[in-house]
Each structure stands twice: as structure tokens, then as C-alpha cells.
Amino acid sequence: MSNDPLLQPYDLGHLRLRNRIMTTSHEPAYGEDGMPKDRYRLYHLERAKAGVAMVMTAGSASVSRDSPPVFSNLLVWKDEVVPWMKQLTDDCHEAGAAVMIQLSHLGRRTRWDKGDWLPVPAAGPYREPSHRAFPKVAEDWDISRIVRDYADACERMAAAGVDGVEFECYGHLMDQFISPLTNGMPPGPYDASSLDNRLRFAFDVLQACRDRVGPKVLLGMRYVADEDAPGGLPLQDGIEMARRFKASGLVDFVNIIRGRIHTDASMTDVIPVQGMRSAPHLDLAGRIRAEVGLPTFHAARIPDVATARHAIASGQLDMVGMTRAHMADPHLVRKVIEGREHDIRPCVGATYCLDRIYQGGMALCIHNPATGREETMPHDITPAAVKKKVVVVGAGPAGLEAARVAAERGHDVTVFEAAPRAGGQVLLTAQSKRRAEMIGIIDWRMDQCTAKGVKFHFNSWADDSDITSLSPDVVIVATGGLPQPVGLASGEEHCVQAWDILSGDVKPGANVLLYDDAGDHTALQTAEVLAAAGATVEVMTPDRSFAPEIMGMNLVPYMRSLQGRQVTFTVTYRLTSVAKEGNRLRAVIGSDYIRDLAEERQFDQVVINHGTAPNADLYFMLKPRSENLGAVDYEAMIAGQPQPAGDGPKGFRLYRIGDAVESRNTHAAIYDALRLVMDI
């Protein structure tokens, strides 16, 4: 038996959990037609097989037709969900993990133009800023119907064999009744006049579900215990709610939340991103556990084993949620058990996963491309049958992933890097204190490569003869990209690149135009550097919104950094030319909407951000000498099959990956490397 607090079993009612680590409810958006089919099942099964005690599925499975999905929610109001959920549950049970599901009615946290275009019911007429619907105030028949929908959904989940059901009670319909900020019900049993009334809907649902499924299914509440907002639910009410849940005998556990999720900014405080404090709400969960005594779960930026271990060892939690950490490394628990914590792929807090969900995409980890792709991509790399010599050029994210995977395959790997250290563009990103955790993407891969004997040559600008002299079997060109010009009619030589500001090669001016035609992190990170130096900054873009590649939660810390400083944002205008006038720059501003617009503005510095152009000279030198002539068989790559040899001269195969192909992002670069190299 281990003495590790995280590895101790825990009895939750009649359910024995094998350790204290769980993945909390979240919606990875892998469902198909609202069903948890194979992609969804395999995602959770991977974590179950690796030792997590419990997987909690669904980021609010929808119980009613008038709760249409806005982030690919599962549809548990459909009978057809039962066999799909049963297969997931049976598989995870066989792997030793318990399974729960979170059920909810979204209330106002959806849109009327989704699903069946039904009115959006809520506990008041107040619009949620994030989803913009002006809801219908729920009538008595809405309430009774929705309570019945909850009970029906709970019965379906019991038929699927789940161990428990968690009810979503923050930001969704239950919480909209409970919160003084959102309960606008007319005078009556559900109005805001007392805590009893505001809790009535939640207890109606709890009682109906318990009556339907009996004691065999555990019931829990993931609820806001402190809205931390003027006029909102105060902490004393949150503690009293826990007491009432316990006294009712209907609730087997609580899962504690602090804050609100009605805006991007408030949601980011509930679910912190990189640069924000780890475990900021652990004290609240610990207080409720101490004062009330209900089994207590919690998850909010608990990114590493040390923080999780403290949460359990200090008695603040019974079960600790490590959800984003398991997106980065689904084998986290197995590595703890095996004494291999140093091998855990770190969550760097980029929150690429959640941001994609809230933009209507599927959850993807910024640096684990196998997450969510368990059908085709491996988390563990299998050794190759024949050892080969692999040369990688470039030690950014793409090159390091290629080297790591090739080394895991058992190949002899050599890496050339022109810079004095690994990192590529991540080195620029990590110069920002707030985004310093991004260097974990590089550090983890360097550690893995070093342990596997990869040979590195830094400060080495490799040419074709350096490569061919090693007689390689495979050459991977991961030389990244370089800032590319934006294509002004004239005067681009008077501008500087965003990279020049981020690297410190060029000092910020006093009155700066930052022209952003890429809409990515580079521009806003540059704006932060400029503003911190005291510059007056205008961020201009030809797009209809600024920073379109930066999604909601990641935008929040930028805005908190930039608002209150001399920074303005101008959209739908295009920089067309720049001319030098003395010690000033005259910028001519046009528009895609008015053909002849030519406004003139004065600045002392113009900074350009227009993505990167491939740094691919070496690739094109090597291409005619390679077996495959640089070609990639996309069908084989997508299917996870080995690449064919090709018709070029015998010797080595050649591939280029990441920004050496085109300007994309870190995830794309690493995904390129994994799916090309995993079968070499």
C-alpha cells in the first residue's frame, strides 16, 4: 500500500473509489448527434485505463429540448443515449474507474436559434452576456415539465449503469433560480424573496430524481457557494445550502465553485488560465468540507500533482479534480503510481482546450495531439521493428516532438538548431511573465529527448552537406517560419516586426501603430510590451473584430493588462503605406469597405504582425535528393499509416513540418510531427 495521500481509496456512499483523483465534468465536444459515440468513449477510457478513480462525463448533458446545445452537449433527453452511455460506462468500469455524468438545463445560457428554435426559459428576464438570448420567464408548466425531464434523464442514466449523477448548478437554470442576481420570478414559491424559495427548484429536481432512481445512483451538486459579486450569492448562503443539502438526505456529495460564468472575464476567474494563481478557490471548498462534512470535490486550476496532493493531504478535499491536467497527460495517475512524476506531460495552462469548446470546436490540448484522437493517435509510442537514423533540423515544438517520437521508436536521432537553445517561437511567448508556463512545452520534450539519447547540436546552421554527411534514413525539416511582410504599397522598410519588439531587438516608440493582420497572440503580447513601456498604442486590424485567433478565455488577461493604459483598438481599417517625414512616420489608412479611403495619420513607430513565411530553403535544397521528393501521402497520414517511399533517388526520406510548411500554431506543429513520425 502506498502512503501517498492521492493513492488512498475513498468510500463515497456504497461506491469504492480506488484513489483520490478524478476528471470532473467537462464537455470535450466529441459527441456525434448528441451521443457519446466511439471518440467520446475512447477519450474517457484512456484515462480510466491509466488509473484515474472516476471519470465524470459531460459538461452538462442536456435534459430538455428547450435546452439546446451550444458547446456540443450530450442530449440525454433522447432514449438512444442509453446504449452509447452504457458502452462507455461498462468499458470504464472494466478498467477500474467509476463513472458519473453531469446533467443540466442550460436555462438562459444558450440561444433560441439553436436546436428546435424554442424559447429559452430562465428564472428571470435577464440576458446572459455570453450567449445573448433574452429569455422567457419560466411559467409553472415549464417548471413542472423540466423537473420531469430531469427525472427522465436520471432514469436513463441509471439504465446505462452510471454510478452517479451530478447536477450543474452554476450559471445554468438551477443556479439562475438560486442567485439573487438572476432570479426575477414573479411573486410566488420560486421568487427571490427567500433562500427557501430560491432553492425550491433545485430540491424539486433532487426529490424527483431520487424518487425515480432510488439509492443506487449517487446524486451530487456542483454549485456556486460564493458568487463573489456585489448583490450576488454570499458565502454564508453557500454554506447554508451545503447544510441543507446534507440535511435533506438527497445529496451524496458537493463539488464547489466560486464565482460566475456569465461573461468571459468572470468565467476565467472560475476556471483560471496560465499566469493566474493555482487552486484559487481551494480554501472555499476546504471551509465547506470542514463546516458541513459532506464529501467534497473541487477542480479549478489544479494543474500538477504537488498541488493535488496538498489538497488531499491538508484535508480540504475528498476527491481532487485534475481535468485539464489529464488532457495534457491521460496517464498521469499511472505515472504517479509508477514513481514517474517527472515524466508527466505538464498542463501549461494555455486553455486551448476550453477556448476551442466555447468557440464551437472540439477540445484539443495545445501540446498533446493524441488527446481526443485516441482512435488514430497513440499516447504511448511503440518501438519500431528496424532502427533508423533520423535527422531533425530545428528544435522548436515541431522539431522536438519529431525527435521525441523518433527516439521513443528506438531510432538514432540527431537534432540541429541554429539558436543557442531549444524553443523556437515559444521562447518569444515565454518572455512574457504571464505566459512563462508555455516553456513547459519545450522543457518536457527536452527532458524526454535527453533521457532517450537524442544528440543535439546548438548554434548549428545546418546545410545540406551537414545533413547528408550523416547518411540519414529520414530527415525532418522543422525550421519554422520568419516574420513576413504585410505587403504595403510602399514604406514597409520603415516598419518593424512584432518579433523585434518581443525579442527586445527594437525599443518601443512613444506613439505606436501596431498593425495586426494575423489576429494572434503575437500582436496582443506585443501590445502588452509596448504599453508597459509607456507607449500610446493603437492596435489596428482590417478584420471586423480584433484578435480573432485569440479565443474568449485567453483574451481576458490581455484586456486586463491593456485596459486602463493608453491602448485603443481600431477594426475594419487597413494600413496601405508608410512614409518617413522627419522623425515621424506618415501612415496612410484605407478600408476594404470604402475603395478610395485614404486617411493620413502620424506615428513615431509602426509595428507589423502578419504571421510567418516558411523558412524552408534547406528543405528545397534537399528535396530533389530525397526518396519521396518531399511528398506527403495525406491519406496515409490522416489514417495513421506509414508513408510510402516514393520515386526519388534512394537514400533518405524528407518531410517538413510546422511553420516550415505554413504559418499555423503550436498544436498544428506538434500534431504534424506525431502523425508523420509515429510510424517511421
Side-chain angles (χ1 to χ4, degrees):
M1 290 292 292
S2 170
N3 293 322
D4 189 336
L6 287 174
L7 300 181
Q8 304 310 304
Y10 179 65
D11 292 324
L12 178 64
H14 60 268
L15 181 65
R16 167 59 63 100
L17 299 171
R18 59 185 169 183
N19 57 58
R20 302 300 186 96
I21 302 174
M22 63 182 289
T23 54
T24 51
S25 57
H26 60 291
E27 185 45 73
Y30 303 149
E32 299 173 48
D33 304 318
M35 299 294 114
K37 297 184 182 180
D38 286 347
R39 184 176 189 178
Y40 200 103
R41 175 179 58 84
L42 292 172
Y43 165 77
H44 286 290
L45 181 58
E46 189 75 29
R47 286 133 190 88
K49 290 191 297 185
V52 74
M54 178 165 65
V55 296
M56 192 172 284
T57 61
S60 314
S62 177
V63 301
S64 301
R65 292 191 79 124
D66 60 352
S67 176
V70 284
F71 30 87
S72 192
N73 309 63
L74 299 183
L75 302 178
V76 291
W77 52 266
K78 292 186 173 184
D79 289 338
E80 67 189 89
V81 75
V82 174
W84 292 109
M85 195 65 202
K86 187 175 189 310
Q87 185 179 2
L88 184 157
T89 301
D90 289 349
D91 285 359
C92 290
H93 280 167
E94 185 176 349
V99 180
M100 292 194 186
I101 189 168
Q102 186 185 81
L103 304 183
S104 187
H105 191 294
L106 290 162
R108 69 175 190 161
R109 194 170 170 77
T110 184
R111 292 183 57 88
W112 51 266
D113 57 353
K114 300 291 184 182
D116 296 305
W117 285 54
L118 297 173
V120 172
Y126 317 116
R127 187 187 77 164
E128 187 206 55
S130 285
H131 292 89
R132 305 183 60 80
F134 288 96
K136 166 197 175 184
V137 179
E139 298 179 63
D140 51 359
W141 60 271
D142 288 311
I143 293 172
S144 60
R145 170 180 55 81
I146 293 169
V147 169
R148 185 173 63 251
D149 288 345
Y150 267 103
D152 290 345
C154 207
E155 187 173 17
R156 291 185 188 97
M157 294 303 97
V162 301
D163 299 292
V165 167
E166 177 181 84
F167 298 107
E168 164 73 291
C169 191
Y170 70 104
H172 294 200
L173 186 59
M174 274 192 188
D175 182 55
Q176 292 159 29
F177 277 94
I178 294 170
S179 170
L181 295 171
T182 51
N183 187 320
M185 294 294 288
Y190 297 96
D191 68 21
S193 62
S194 69
L195 183 59
D196 283 337
N197 283 7
R198 288 186 279 119
L199 280 170
R200 194 177 308 278
F201 175 72
F203 275 108
D204 287 351
V205 170
L206 283 166
Q207 189 64 63
C209 290
R210 181 61 78 199
D211 290 345
R212 192 72 68 87
V213 301
K216 64 181 180 180
V217 177
L218 298 169
L219 301 182
M221 297 291 285
R222 192 173 197 182
Y223 82 101
V224 175
D226 177 10
E227 284 194 305
D228 194 26
L233 185 87
L235 173 58
Q236 58 266 30
D237 281 5
I239 296 173
E240 176 61 22
M241 287 167 62
R243 290 195 178 103
R244 295 189 187 194
F245 291 147
K246 183 179 182 181
S248 73
L250 298 171
V251 175
D252 297 292
F253 65 90
V254 290
N255 194 341
I256 302 303
I257 297 291
R258 174 188 278 144
R260 305 182 71 204
I261 56 171
H262 63 305
T263 65
D264 289 340
S266 61
M267 184 166 65
T268 304
D269 288 330
V270 173
I271 311 172
V273 301
Q274 62 186 197
M276 300 175 73
R277 189 160 60 97
S278 291
H281 313 311
L282 181 59
D283 59 335
L284 173 63
R287 179 173 174 181
I288 288 175
R289 182 181 185 273
E291 293 195 23
V292 180
L294 265 175
T296 302
F297 304 170
H298 177 63
R301 189 160 158 78
I302 300 177
D304 55 69
V305 171
T307 305
R309 186 173 286 125
H310 165 73
I312 298 297
S314 61
Q316 296 182 83
L317 300 180
D318 295 296
M319 293 293 296
V320 60
M322 300 188 72
T323 306
R324 281 179 285 182
H326 271 84
M327 286 188 168
D329 194 336
H331 300 162
L332 183 152
V333 176
R334 188 186 77 197
K335 292 176 181 179
V336 171
I337 293 169
E338 294 174 355
R340 296 169 48 219
E341 290 179 32
H342 60 282
D343 279 336
I344 294 172
R345 187 188 311 235
C347 174
V348 298
T351 314
Y352 187 61
C353 48
L354 283 171
D355 263 344
R356 282 182 53 85
I357 295 168
Y358 290 124
Q359 296 295 116
M362 297 177 181
L364 296 172
C365 174
I366 196 168
H367 77 128
N368 186 347
T371 288
R373 298 186 177 107
E374 283 79 7
E375 291 175 283
T376 56
M377 294 292 111
H379 288 282
D380 284 329
I381 307 300
T382 57
V386 178
K387 184 174 182 177
K388 294 184 177 180
K389 185 173 287 188
V390 177
V391 174
V392 179
V393 187
L400 288 181
E401 177 72 355
R404 180 191 74 86
V405 175
E408 291 277 4
R409 294 279 286 161
H411 299 313
D412 180 347
V413 184
T414 301
V415 178
F416 290 95
E417 168 56 50
R421 58 177 292 201
Q425 293 178 49
V426 175
L427 292 178
L428 286 176
T429 299
Q431 286 192 31
S432 166
K433 182 178 180 181
R434 183 175 59 75
R435 303 195 72 205
E437 290 171 77
M438 293 289 283
I439 203 64
I441 295 171
I442 303 302
D443 289 347
W444 180 76
R445 287 177 169 78
M446 282 297 296
D447 289 345
Q448 297 293 305
C449 286
T450 300
K452 290 292 182 181
V454 174
K455 296 179 286 292
F456 285 92
H457 299 281
F458 292 107
N459 293 307
S460 297
W461 191 279
D463 60 23
D464 55 341
S465 61
D466 294 321
I467 306 303
T468 55
S469 68
L470 296 176
S471 302
D473 298 297
V474 179
V475 178
I476 309 290
V477 175
T479 44
L482 296 171
Q484 63 178 330
V486 73
L488 302 182
S490 62
E492 193 136 357
E493 68 274 13
H494 302 307
C495 304
V496 299
Q497 290 286 344
W499 283 21
D500 298 326
I501 300 295
L502 290 177
S503 66
D505 291 342
V506 174
K507 292 183 178 180
N511 180 27
V512 183
L513 173 63
L514 172 53
Y515 183 64
D516 179 22
D517 199 21
D520 56 13
H521 282 275
T522 301
L524 290 194
Q525 204 164 335
T526 302
E528 286 184 314
V529 173
L530 294 167
T536 297
V537 184
E538 180 178 357
V539 182
M540 179 181 291
T541 175
D543 295 317
R544 61 185 177 184
S545 64
F546 69 91
E549 298 299 319
I550 301 177
M551 294 167 272
M553 296 178 73
N554 269 283
L555 186 64
V556 171
Y558 284 117
M559 291 300 97
R560 288 177 173 167
S561 170
L562 296 173
Q563 288 182 343
R565 288 177 160 160
Q566 298 300 307
V567 180
T568 58
F569 293 88
T570 302
V571 300
T572 71
Y573 285 88
R574 182 177 293 279
L575 179 64
T576 59
S577 66
V578 175
K580 195 168 181 62
E581 292 186 349
N583 62 353
R584 304 280 286 171
L585 296 174
R586 174 171 53 84
V588 179
I589 312 299
S591 167
D592 296 342
Y593 300 88
I594 300 176
R595 180 177 297 177
D596 299 324
L597 185 69
E599 297 180 358
E600 294 188 1
R601 306 268 296 283
Q602 295 285 326
F603 300 93
D604 61 26
Q605 189 176 59
V606 176
V607 181
I608 300 294
N609 180 48
H610 187 58
T612 62
N615 179 26
D617 290 349
L618 177 62
Y619 165 81
F620 285 107
M621 282 192 286
L622 292 168
K623 179 180 174 179
R625 301 161 66 178
S626 64
E627 285 186 15
N628 60 323
L629 301 175
V632 176
D633 185 321
Y634 286 154
E635 294 297 326
M637 183 176 72
I638 291 167
Q641 299 297 317
Q643 290 288 308
D647 301 322
K650 298 301 179 185
F652 61 90
R653 298 189 193 182
L654 174 69
Y655 306 105
R656 61 172 169 155
I657 57 177
D659 280 7
V661 181
E662 66 177 5
S663 183
R664 289 176 289 167
N665 68 9
T666 301
H667 179 87
I670 293 172
Y671 186 27
D672 273 1
L674 175 62
R675 58 181 172 174
L676 272 174
V677 181
M678 62 186 239
D679 290 311
I680 288 175

